[in-house]
Every structure is written in C-alpha cells, then in structure tokens.
Amino acid sequence: MRVPKAGAMAVVVGLALTATGCGGDEGPKGTLSIGIKFDQPGVGLRETGGVFSGFDVDVATYIAKELGYKPEQIEFKKVDSSDRELLLQYNEVKFVAASYSISDKRKEKVDFAGPYFTAHQDLLVRADDNTITKAEDLNNRKLCSVSGSTSASNVKEKLAPKASLLELGGYSECVIALQDGQADAMTTDNSILAGYAAQKANAGKFKLVGLSLSNESYGIGVKKGNKELVDKINAALKKMVADGSWDAAVKKNFGPAYRSEPAPQITTGS
Ligand code: GLU
C-alpha cells in the first residue's frame, strides 16, 4: 500500500481518533490493525470471500485476544515484504505478523517481539527440474525473489551473487514466473514455499529442493520504542506455546509434510 504524505496522514489519524473515541488501537474498544501477508498460503492468506488463514493469522489473532480484542475487532491489512517497516513507522498497523525475520538491519527501524517461529531459506523449482540441487547451481540462472526480503538480499550478498535475480512484489508473482519459465527457481523461506507446493492448483508442478540456506527467526514487528507492546506480545506468545495453541496452529497450517521445529525461545523484550 502507499503511505500517504504527512499532511494526509494527519487527517487519517484525526479521523481514526474521532471514529474510535480513543487512542485508536490499544483501548478495549475500536479496531486493531494488524499487518499480514495476503498471498502466502499456510502463512498469511486472504481467501476468496475475505476469510483470512495461515499460521501468522492464528498467531496474530491469539495476540489480539491477549491484548483484549475480539476477532471481529481485528482489521488485517496487507503488507508486502518491502513496506513492513514503513507501515509500522506511519502507525498504519499496530503490529506486523508477516513471515518477518528479525534482523539487525530491520532493528534499526522497528522493534520485534518473539521470535515465534524458525524457518529456513530454500528453493522451489519446477517438478521436472533436476539441474538445481544447491545454491551455487543458481549462478547464471534466473532466480525469482521478493524486494525487501532477507531471501533476496541473502542471494545477492552470499548465496548466489551471479544469479540473475528477478525481484517482484510478492511471492505469488514468483510462483507464476516459475510456472511460466521466466524464472528457473524461486527462493524464500521453506514455510512459504511449502505452502505454494501444497496448493491443490499446483499439484505436481513444483518441488522444494530441501536446502537450509539460512535461519529465519520470525518476529512480530512493532513501532520502534514501544517496549510495553513488545512485552505484552511476548507474554501472549509464551502463553500460546504453553497452552498448546502454538502446536495446534503449526499442525493446522503447515500440514504433516512440513518438518517444523519446536517453538523458539523468546529473546526480545525486557
Ligand atoms: N522471512 C523473510 C523476510 O522477512 C522472507 C519472507 C518474506 O519476505 O516475508 O524477508
């Protein structure tokens, strides 16, 4: 989404304050805006009819409940890999739950709660392709990833600097590029790739190479300096693990074929 200029933003914020009659997003009433991905099955997906599904959706809904919001008070807003920091900086969302890896570079702009999940960068190729079995095989090949992601920067900086990298706005666009032959492979977290491979519409079309090219610790992004919210979210995440809801959400969203790891230790907050 586009972030309005400062003037327009003041109007938007003013309207939000009037509409909810409180600070907008943290009171017991009103709506809570949460940034999620809309096109990643199993992780964050807006299905036809406007129903949201995925592990990040379940985690976000649990956190919202712990913050005092009912599911109907949640407004899920679409984020892309490249605008997550901006949306937090401009108060467009209260927090981001969007396959968002904790990184030092991002920590300069936003704060993180968590981590709440560990993924690993992998490759998705066409089912009949046996030429790509390791990262180096990507050099001089066409590789698709998404702008603003750690997946794209890992490729450029270390994994396959000589690959010809096609950077698109979202992973579902890469899936189409891979299917159509505009890309030889796509790369991002195995959690995301597994979701595309498992979609009924993609049956028999793609396969994961099965590499573990990086460790991606998913965090909940919040506006920089909001320590109180980080601590509240961490408390919610710990409760979600302790009461079994985290395991249930992993099983429900990633299915039996995905080998997920136990919930990571929380390393953020006070
Ligand atoms: N987890 C990686 C990241 O935060 C890749 C997935 C994504 O782009 O959302 O960049």
Side-chain angles (χ1 to χ4, degrees):
M1 75 153 287
R2 286 210 190 97
V3 175
K5 288 195 208 96
M9 184 58 81
V11 177
V12 173
V13 172
L15 284 175
L17 287 174
T18 330
T20 58
C22 63
D25 38 22
E26 252 198 304
K29 295 190 206 91
T31 53
L32 176 71
S33 295
I34 305 175
I36 60 157
K37 295 293 186 81
F38 272 29
D39 71 336
Q40 297 177 187
V43 179
L45 184 70
R46 186 184 188 279
E47 298 183 31
T48 32
V51 176
F52 293 95
S53 69
F55 184 68
D56 280 341
V57 171
D58 289 346
V59 170
T61 305
Y62 193 99
I63 294 169
K65 173 173 67 90
E66 292 302 306
L67 295 177
Y69 292 89
K70 298 197 181 81
E72 55 272 24
Q73 289 176 290
I74 299 174
E75 187 195 0
F76 286 118
K77 286 195 180 171
K78 177 182 179 291
V79 299
D80 294 323
S81 295
S82 59
D83 64 13
R84 292 174 288 201
E85 292 85 34
L86 266 182
L87 291 175
L88 287 168
Q89 286 171 328
Y90 281 84
N91 297 314
E92 283 285 314
V93 291
K94 193 69 188 171
F95 64 83
V96 165
S99 54
Y100 198 12
S101 299
I102 300 174
S103 80
D104 288 341
K105 204 171 150 214
R106 290 172 178 164
K107 278 200 261 178
E108 289 169 13
K109 295 182 174 165
V110 299
D111 282 338
F112 286 98
Y116 64 93
F117 190 77
T118 311
H120 304 281
Q121 188 166 353
D122 196 359
L123 306 172
L124 190 73
V125 295
R126 287 183 290 276
D128 59 358
D129 188 330
N130 293 316
T131 64
I132 299 171
T133 57
K134 54 191 182 305
E136 300 86 82
D137 295 336
L138 296 166
N139 285 319
N140 306 312
R141 306 290 300 273
K142 287 175 286 175
L143 175 67
C144 191
S145 199
V146 164
S147 310
S149 67
T150 52
S151 323
S153 48
N154 288 344
V155 167
K156 287 188 274 195
E157 284 159 25
K158 43 186 186 227
L159 296 176
K162 292 203 194 102
S164 116
L165 184 63
L166 173 66
E167 278 188 64
L168 300 179
Y171 295 104
S172 50
E173 294 167 47
C174 280
V175 174
I176 295 166
L178 180 61
Q179 175 174 308
D180 294 352
Q182 287 149 357
D184 300 311
M186 69 178 274
T187 187
T188 187
D189 306 336
N190 49 2
S191 45
I192 299 171
L193 297 175
Y196 292 120
Q199 268 188 315
K200 274 211 188 88
N202 291 334
K205 286 189 191 165
F206 307 113
K207 63 182 178 194
L208 270 85
V209 175
L211 305 174
S212 183
L213 301 171
S214 72
N215 295 328
E216 305 292 327
S217 295
Y218 288 2
I220 302 292
V222 308
K223 191 175 175 135
K224 192 152 186 62
N226 198 342
K227 291 201 173 60
E228 203 191 320
L229 184 58
V230 167
D231 288 342
K232 280 186 190 164
I233 292 175
N234 280 339
L237 292 172
K238 281 183 193 153
K239 190 169 168 193
M240 187 177 183
V241 174
D243 72 10
S245 307
W246 188 91
D247 271 325
V250 168
K251 283 203 186 76
K252 173 182 141 202
N253 292 295
F254 294 118
Y258 183 78
R259 262 206 293 143
S260 68
E261 294 157 41
Q265 287 300 314
I266 305 273
T267 55
T268 58
S270 46

